[in-house]
Amino acid sequence: MRHDGRLPDPEGMNETMCGRVYVKTTLDGMIANFAMAQRSADIAGLANGFPRWNGAPGQDYPIIIQEPDVAAPIFVRARWGFMPGWAREARPGGRPPPVNARAETVATSGMFKNAYRYRRALMPIDGYFEWRDIHGTGKNKQPYAIAMKDGSPFALAAIWESWRDPETGLETRTFAVLTCAPNELMATIHDRMPVILHRKDYQRWLSPAEPDPRDLLKPFPADLMTMWPIDRKVGSPKNNTPDILDPVDPDPGDLFS
């Protein structure tokens, strides 16, 4: 932690490794798909935001957390972009808050370790997007949609924190998605992937009694997943329609095609 209350910026901290997702259902549909968690009044205002075909950081999402004094996990509202409670500025140095936390260092990072120990979460989605840097220059990237092979919804491992704006006094719950090394499928397009949890591990991940479930922070089995090339219009969150997911022929220069 920095003593001046500003966010640190170690190498790679603001590199987005999982920064776009999609949810094909309504909010009610999401809750039905994750019946292990109860609805809270906190998420009522999110109903009009789903389905969300091109979700980006900075937006509010329903995430699942386990409060110590509540019997079952609950859905709550949180903003994607992690702000530790001690931070004094919303965008210190003009940088956006980190949307990812590396699985390899989340337990020891000054920014993330307390949230990892005490405030873990699930981010329910139907899929996410990633870009393949075709020529290694960063100037020509082919986007892909990634999902479960059987089409089922799934949850990403996340951590959360409450942050109070010192100017307005308003408190916001924020979160980051954990990332790990890629599985065989993801390795063909990127060197990282989000940590996807098996349903049998949801309760353990959320449990405050489990201080360090690091064995869950590993690549999800590639044979259970699928991906396909999509149009570059996914690059703008303003394009938020179902046809975002339509498959396209990949860029001719994409050696993966």
Side-chain angles (χ1 to χ4, degrees), residues 82-86 119 160-164 171-174:
F82 188 87
M83 291 292 294
W86 45 261
R119 291 174 294 278
W160 68 275
E161 182 69 274
S162 290
W163 178 72
R164 186 180 298 277
E171 190 166 292
T172 302
R173 189 180 286 108
T174 69

Side-chain angles (χ1 to χ4, degrees), residues 177-199:
V177 169
L178 272 65
T179 67
C180 62
N183 60 24
E184 300 89 342
L185 179 71
M186 284 300 301
T188 61
I189 65 169
H190 205 273
D191 61 1
R192 303 290 290 179
M193 71 177 292
V195 174
I196 300 170
L197 297 172
H198 293 275
R199 284 187 176 256

Side-chain angles (χ1 to χ4, degrees), residues 9-25:
D9 190 29
E11 184 178 358
M13 177 67 76
N14 282 314
E15 176 188 359
T16 299
M17 294 161 278
C18 174
R20 290 294 178 81
V21 299
Y22 67 88
V23 176
K24 298 191 295 184
T25 62

Side-chain angles (χ1 to χ4, degrees), residues 116-120 203-216:
Y116 172 70
R117 171 62 181 86
Y118 299 107
R119 291 174 294 278
R120 296 187 295 269
Q203 293 282 0
R204 183 181 166 216
W205 175 252
L206 294 175
S207 174
E210 175 74 72
D212 187 14
R214 68 178 63 198
D215 59 296
L216 301 181

Side-chain angles (χ1 to χ4, degrees), residues 131-149:
W131 281 256
R132 184 174 192 269
D133 190 348
I134 298 174
H135 303 297
T137 63
K139 297 180 179 180
N140 188 16
K141 295 185 177 184
Q142 172 65 58
Y144 285 81
I146 302 102
M148 292 296 112
K149 191 173 291 183

Side-chain angles (χ1 to χ4, degrees), residues 27-202:
L27 185 61
D28 286 341
M30 178 191 294
I31 294 171
N33 286 331
F34 291 83
M36 43 83 72
Q38 299 177 353
R39 179 195 297 264
S40 75
D42 188 45
I43 64 171
L46 292 176
N48 292 334
F50 293 88
R52 185 175 293 171
W53 304 101
N54 193 1
Q59 298 173 339
D60 287 357
Y61 293 82
I63 63 171
I64 299 172
I65 68 172
Q66 177 68 68
E67 294 279 36
D69 56 346
V70 179
I74 57 173
F75 275 95
V76 297
R77 182 176 189 150
R79 183 160 300 164
W80 193 1
F82 188 87
M83 291 292 294
W86 45 261
R88 296 178 184 172
E89 303 173 64
R91 292 177 64 92
R95 297 188 304 269
V99 301
N100 298 136
R102 287 179 174 265
E104 297 88 342
T105 57
V106 68
T108 57
S109 165
M111 177 178 286
F112 301 125
K113 64 181 181 181
N114 285 337
Y116 172 70
R117 171 62 181 86
Y118 299 107
R119 291 174 294 278
R120 296 187 295 269
L122 300 171
M123 183 188 192
I125 61 172
D126 285 293
Y128 64 97
F129 305 114
E130 194 52 83
W131 281 256
R132 184 174 192 269
D133 190 348
I134 298 174
H135 303 297
T137 63
K139 297 180 179 180
N140 188 16
K141 295 185 177 184
Q142 172 65 58
Y144 285 81
I146 302 102
M148 292 296 112
K149 191 173 291 183
D150 63 3
S152 61
F154 56 99
L156 306 182
I159 54 175
W160 68 275
E161 182 69 274
S162 290
W163 178 72
R164 186 180 298 277
D165 188 323
E167 295 185 2
T168 66
L170 296 177
E171 190 166 292
T172 302
R173 189 180 286 108
T174 69
F175 72 98
V177 169
L178 272 65
T179 67
C180 62
N183 60 24
E184 300 89 342
L185 179 71
M186 284 300 301
T188 61
I189 65 169
H190 205 273
D191 61 1
R192 303 290 290 179
M193 71 177 292
V195 174
I196 300 170
L197 297 172
H198 293 275
R199 284 187 176 256
K200 65 181 179 61
D201 294 323
Y202 287 175

